[in-house]
Amino acid sequence: MILTVTLNTALDLTYRVRSLRPHTSHRVSEVIERPGGKGVNVGRVLAALGHEVTVTGFAGGGTGRAVRDGLAKAGGLTDALVPVAGATRRTIAVVDEHSGDTTQLNEPGPQIAPAEWAMFLDRYAELLSGASAVALCGSLPPGVPVGAYAGLIRTARSLGVPVLLDTSGEPLRRGVAARPDIIKPNADELAELTGSHDPLRATESARRRGAHTVIASLGPNGLLASTPEGRWRATPPGRVHGNPTGAGDSAVAALLSGLVTDLPWPTRLAHAIALSAATVRAPAAGEFDRQTYEELLGRVTVTGQAGR
């Protein structure tokens, strides 16, 4: 079982409009509602790839009930969310059909009480006993300690469970010091962490700070991997147009899948690129276009070498 942790779960709403213009009203042509948050999106993609997945984090209020109902309908995911008094946040993506651009609005999330955090820690420790890997994903809701991910990483490492961390800012900085197996920052997050805007130098700096492996997301320019086994660069065959929301989460899913099935790094990276691009083609986060995925997989370019 792969465990995904989403401390700031969300009800994702995707609106499609013909053309998004400020200071005007818009007629929405389509509305898609899905359980969301980075770890939930990762879990949905992993389940579609055939993995057994458990999702945990927090859920509360009417939006929390909608998230749990959506997980039950989705299939393939075990719901281990911890109930809280506050209402789960919403995220709103507005897709401009004319330009293909997406505008994202993210609410902060509910206030988590100390007793609710303690309840989650107990549930997390229980779930790790049956996990082959764990992904810690996304932002922290109010009330959760800024060093939360560092503590969760140490707990997983003490039980021999490999950890992938995908977050940003101070939670990322503190999490890296706890020595996660993999981190997957984007270029801006990596620069903020290390102070370097050169991706190659920044990935090496992040490893010196504690990360075992660093997979840097360079947007349409692909992925840069710095691992104990070697360094690689993976690039897509061309730019893919569509909704980029969730593309990074699909890359995380591919990396976790490759981890638990012990694929070589070049193959893992090719799957991550193809799956990300296939997600851009899909209508909502946490989904991917399987035909695009299969078509692109053999066309991803991976360069680099094993060793240091």
Side-chain angles (χ1 to χ4, degrees):
M1 176 268 286
I2 298 175
L3 177 63
T4 70
V5 174
T6 313
L7 296 178
N8 213 359
T9 52
L11 183 65
D12 284 347
L13 300 172
T14 301
Y15 296 148
R16 300 185 69 88
V17 299
R18 184 178 298 276
S19 179
L20 182 62
R21 293 174 296 163
H23 316 301
T24 64
S25 60
H26 297 77
R27 187 174 297 278
V28 176
S29 61
E30 182 182 23
V31 180
I32 301 173
E33 181 179 290
R34 294 285 189 275
K38 293 179 73 66
V40 173
N41 293 337
V42 169
R44 189 185 293 113
V45 173
L46 282 168
L49 293 174
H51 293 280
E52 179 185 353
V53 184
T54 296
V55 296
T56 190
F58 298 109
T63 46
R65 286 192 296 274
V67 166
R68 304 192 86 153
D69 289 345
L71 290 175
K73 293 175 183 176
L77 300 173
T78 298
D79 174 359
L81 295 170
V82 173
V84 294
T88 295
R89 67 184 179 134
R90 295 164 298 180
T91 65
I92 300 172
V94 183
V95 180
D96 184 319
E97 295 175 339
H98 176 72
S99 67
D101 293 334
T102 299
T103 299
Q104 190 81 17
L105 304 174
N106 297 328
E107 296 179 357
Q111 180 76 29
I112 304 301
E116 293 168 339
W117 177 240
M119 188 184 305
F120 169 79
L121 292 177
D122 289 341
R123 177 70 61 84
Y124 176 71
E126 293 171 2
L127 293 170
L128 281 176
S129 64
S132 56
V134 58
L136 307 175
C137 302
S139 62
L140 302 179
V144 171
V146 70
Y149 283 137
L152 298 182
I153 290 167
R154 285 191 287 267
T155 300
R157 287 180 58 84
S158 71
L159 297 172
V161 180
V163 185
L164 186 151
L165 176 64
D166 185 14
T167 188
S168 60
E170 187 65 12
L172 174 60
R173 189 184 70 80
R174 297 198 186 195
V176 165
R179 306 187 66 80
D181 295 87
I182 302 173
I183 63 170
K184 195 209 70 67
N186 62 33
D188 290 339
E189 292 163 350
L190 189 60
E192 182 182 6
L193 173 67
T194 64
S196 173
H197 291 273
D198 178 272
L200 183 58
R201 290 183 180 179
T203 54
E204 290 302 309
S205 176
R207 289 194 62 210
R208 288 193 296 271
R209 292 165 187 262
H212 189 69
T213 288
V214 180
I215 310 296
S217 174
L218 306 179
N221 295 319
L223 298 172
L224 179 63
S226 179
T227 83
E229 291 81 21
R231 301 187 189 95
W232 290 272
R233 176 78 175 266
T235 55
R239 191 177 184 90
V240 177
H241 296 282
N243 180 5
T245 306
D249 303 332
S250 290
V252 169
L255 294 171
L256 283 167
S257 180
L259 172 66
V260 299
T261 56
D262 199 27
L263 293 177
W265 273 111
T267 305
R268 295 189 207 184
L269 297 172
H271 279 275
I273 291 288
L275 201 53
S276 294
T279 298
V280 173
R281 288 273 179 88
E287 299 180 355
F288 63 94
D289 184 89
R290 191 172 292 274
Q291 182 177 351
T292 300
Y293 172 46
E294 293 172 352
E295 287 177 353
L296 291 180
L297 187 56
R299 298 168 55 202
V300 176
T301 300
V302 183
T303 58
Q305 61 182 4
R308 295 300 304 272

